[in-house]
Amino acid sequence: MTQPVEINFTDNVPEKIAELQGRIALILTATDRLPGKLPRPAREAATRALASKAGQALKPGQALELAFPAGMEAESLLLILLPHSATQSEARRAGAAIGAKLGRGHMLVMAGAHKLSNDVALGLALRSYDFGVYHTDREDADEARPQVTFLVKKPEELARVASDAAALAEGVFFTRDLVNEPANVLTTTDFADRLHAMEEIGLEVEVLEEDELEALGMRALLAVGQGSESPSKVVVMRWNGGEDEAPLALIGKGVVFDTGGISIKPAAGMEDMTMDMGGAGVVAGVMRTLALRRAKANVVGLVGLVENMPDGKAQRPGDIVKSMKGDTIEVINTDAEGRLVLADVLWYAQERFEPKAIVDLATLTGAVIIALGHDNAGVFCNDDTFADQILTAAKSEGEGAWRLPLGKPYDDLIKSRLADMKNTGGRAAGSITAAQFLQRFIKPGQPWAHLDIAGVALPPSATDLAPKGATGWGVMTLDRLVRDQFEAK
């Protein structure tokens, strides 16, 4: 997998800053405060730059770059404004500004005693992600990995705190890698193998194959994958870091490629359907983070892995399938397949684990993009307190989330003449009717939230903390939710 850049912390001030190679970043609490160690020509150039129109327009977290600064051997000098009163999000953006300019050489970040240095480091790590595995001109990339050193007041203390941030970054990178992988590589089998390999870091991992799923009655999930050569699977990942208590259950939609099935999608843009396993990718990334940081909580992650293809054996519009719960579903549109996968996994999770709460994640509907764009995930929840906890966690981590409604009028839109329900209610309120469908598979009194991440998993452009491509949205939010609400204090 793509590894986050290694960051070292030190309080050893270089004797000759003028002779340092690579790049240097200065964290400035104000635009008129430069470190005294800068050579005079570079100091004068930086002072002029900060006094310029561009320098005066700097906002917290933003950077101004001086290429080949006078009197120094460094390639560039980055001036980043970050007042002591800055927020966590601003500190991470400051780090991201550095990460975007990292290059392949050495980067020295002069952060001094700034209290948000850890968030700067996390932002740097997240933004420096580069999924270059299929670029043949980068085959020697491992030999040219950048080196980052933070010059800080208390390096040992910061290094201890940064270990959890490193675990978080690795979880985000794991998710991004999974979402960015092409479907001819990330088959259901390859996906399951990557998850099974996480036993090495302490997770308990179990892979349920098609015969086991058939015996359990997961006909809704199996129907989605019956047109594919890739076998459908359910992977169960367990982290038992808490006391003897019910776990939090995280459930992800893992459609490794979605053609739409017989209700085939238009060709334009179909290449992006490699990301339709984004929910499963987030669950995998969270579980990796929890294991790496040895979280004091019980969490189970379940992902349904299928491929939706238009083979002669594929399910058809008009088919009626029976879920593990026992409810029958009329398939109106085979492109509304993710909810069929989640329905069976949701029921299985409740039957087997009796979880304290459930969060499912899915790139479920295009309708949520129409409603919220690419800045917010849609949050649906049957418990106000739980909803507030999720929204608070998302806000704390700077990941956009917005609550959308549930209600019986929407439920009426998925009534079927022939079965207990149909799998789509049409264009009107499409993301809400999808959530209403899922709620049919939640037992009474079970706290549950559904996160529709279709707009945030693979946005069309770079974000504050991610280059263009997969963002890993949700790993930080759910790690924060576990830390704040489910972890032993």
Side-chain angles (χ1 to χ4, degrees):
M1 65 165 282
T2 305
Q3 290 292 331
V5 62
E6 183 177 343
I7 299 176
N8 297 304
F9 301 92
T10 183
D11 58 359
N12 295 321
V13 179
E15 291 184 8
K16 298 180 179 180
I17 291 181
E19 297 178 6
L20 291 177
Q21 304 289 319
R23 300 165 185 256
I24 299 175
L26 303 181
I27 303 297
L28 307 175
T29 57
T31 56
D32 60 350
R33 295 180 186 175
L34 291 167
K37 292 285 185 178
L38 277 183
R40 183 174 177 179
R43 172 181 285 277
E44 290 175 351
T47 299
R48 287 170 54 202
L50 292 170
S52 69
K53 185 176 181 181
Q56 292 298 304
L58 279 180
K59 292 182 173 57
Q62 293 183 338
L64 188 64
E65 183 177 18
L66 303 182
F68 302 102
M72 301 181 71
E73 294 187 21
E75 294 176 24
S76 70
L77 184 64
L78 281 174
L79 308 173
I80 301 102
L81 178 62
L82 193 67
H84 287 302
S85 60
T87 65
Q88 175 181 273
S89 293
E90 290 169 338
R92 291 180 180 178
R93 282 200 298 272
I98 302 170
K101 299 288 186 180
L102 202 54
R104 290 291 173 187
H106 183 264
M107 173 70 79
L108 174 66
V109 181
M110 301 178 69
H114 206 294
K115 64 180 181 179
L116 296 176
S117 294
N118 184 47
D119 287 296
V120 175
L122 177 59
L124 186 158
L126 292 175
R127 185 58 178 82
S128 64
Y129 174 85
D130 181 15
F131 188 72
V133 64
Y134 297 110
H135 288 280
T136 56
D137 60 348
R138 301 190 199 175
E139 290 177 351
D140 62 346
D142 285 344
E143 300 175 9
R145 281 177 59 80
Q147 299 175 351
V148 179
T149 301
F150 266 65
L151 183 59
V152 293
K153 289 290 186 183
K154 298 179 180 179
E156 296 85 2
E157 180 179 316
L158 188 57
R160 285 195 296 271
V161 176
S163 63
D164 280 358
L168 184 57
E170 184 165 326
V172 172
F173 276 33
F174 190 58
T175 297
R176 290 177 181 176
D177 277 2
L178 290 169
V179 176
N180 281 328
E181 284 284 10
N184 62 320
V185 173
L186 192 74
T187 62
T188 56
T189 298
D190 182 77
F191 200 154
D193 288 346
R194 295 189 193 203
L195 301 187
H196 196 271
M198 289 201 290
E199 286 188 330
E200 297 175 357
I201 60 172
L203 290 174
E204 295 177 15
V205 184
E206 179 183 0
V207 181
L208 304 179
E209 303 291 352
E210 284 190 343
D211 57 344
E212 297 170 279
L213 303 180
E214 180 72 48
L216 288 166
M218 292 195 188
R219 287 302 312 155
L221 181 150
L222 289 168
V224 174
Q226 68 190 32
S228 173
E229 292 294 323
S230 291
S232 298
K233 302 171 186 285
V234 170
V235 181
V236 181
M237 298 163 280
R238 301 185 69 176
W239 174 251
N240 299 311
E243 302 295 334
D244 185 18
E245 57 188 11
L248 168 69
L250 306 178
I251 296 172
K253 169 191 170 184
V255 180
V256 295
F257 193 78
D258 182 20
T259 65
I262 298 300
S263 306
I264 196 163
K265 295 176 180 289
M270 196 191 291
E271 68 275 9
D272 287 340
M273 286 300 101
T274 56
M275 52 76 77
D276 211 24
M277 37 56 63
V282 173
V283 171
V286 175
M287 297 305 294
R288 188 175 192 89
T289 292
L290 297 178
L292 288 172
R293 71 173 182 81
R294 321 307 288 178
K296 296 178 181 179
N298 293 335
V299 183
V300 57
L302 302 96
V303 296
L305 306 181
V306 302
E307 185 178 37
N308 189 20
M309 299 290 280
D311 181 79
K313 296 181 292 185
Q315 70 174 346
R316 299 154 290 252
D319 283 1
I320 295 176
V321 296
K322 192 172 187 178
S323 69
M324 181 182 175
K325 177 187 175 186
D327 288 348
T328 56
I329 304 161
E330 181 185 7
V331 178
I332 301 299
N333 187 328
T334 63
D335 194 24
E337 84 299 332
R339 63 203 70 182
L340 300 179
V341 174
L342 290 173
D344 277 345
V345 182
L346 283 167
W347 195 256
Y348 176 73
Q350 292 168 95
E351 289 283 282
R352 179 175 174 183
F353 296 107
E354 298 181 352
K356 184 180 296 186
I358 297 173
V359 179
D360 78 69
L361 301 97
T363 50
L364 205 63
T365 67
V368 81
I369 303 176
I370 303 302
L372 299 176
H374 297 282
D375 296 309
N376 288 281
V379 178
F380 302 84
C381 192
N382 64 357
D383 182 287
D384 290 342
T385 299
F386 193 36
D388 288 344
Q389 291 171 349
I390 293 170
L391 293 170
T392 298
K395 185 176 181 180
S396 296
E397 296 301 319
E399 293 190 312
W402 195 265
R403 191 177 184 186
L404 293 169
L406 294 165
K408 190 176 185 307
Y410 301 108
D411 203 43
D412 292 341
L413 296 175
I414 55 173
K415 286 182 176 178
S416 168
R417 178 178 65 88
L418 299 172
D420 295 326
M421 70 196 81
K422 54 186 180 180
N423 75 327
T424 176
R427 290 176 61 84
S431 57
I432 302 176
T433 54
Q436 290 289 154
F437 179 95
L438 296 177
Q439 190 172 219
R440 297 276 188 100
F441 299 90
I442 299 299
K443 295 183 177 183
Q446 172 69 68
W448 157 77
H450 160 59
L451 308 185
D452 193 333
I453 61 172
V456 294
L458 189 73
S461 57
T463 65
D464 284 346
L465 300 181
K468 184 176 180 179
T471 63
W473 187 103
V475 175
M476 294 194 296
T477 291
L478 293 179
D479 177 68
R480 172 58 58 186
L481 178 70
V482 171
R483 190 184 296 271
D484 289 350
Q485 305 299 335
F486 295 91
E487 198 160 357
K489 299 298 188 274

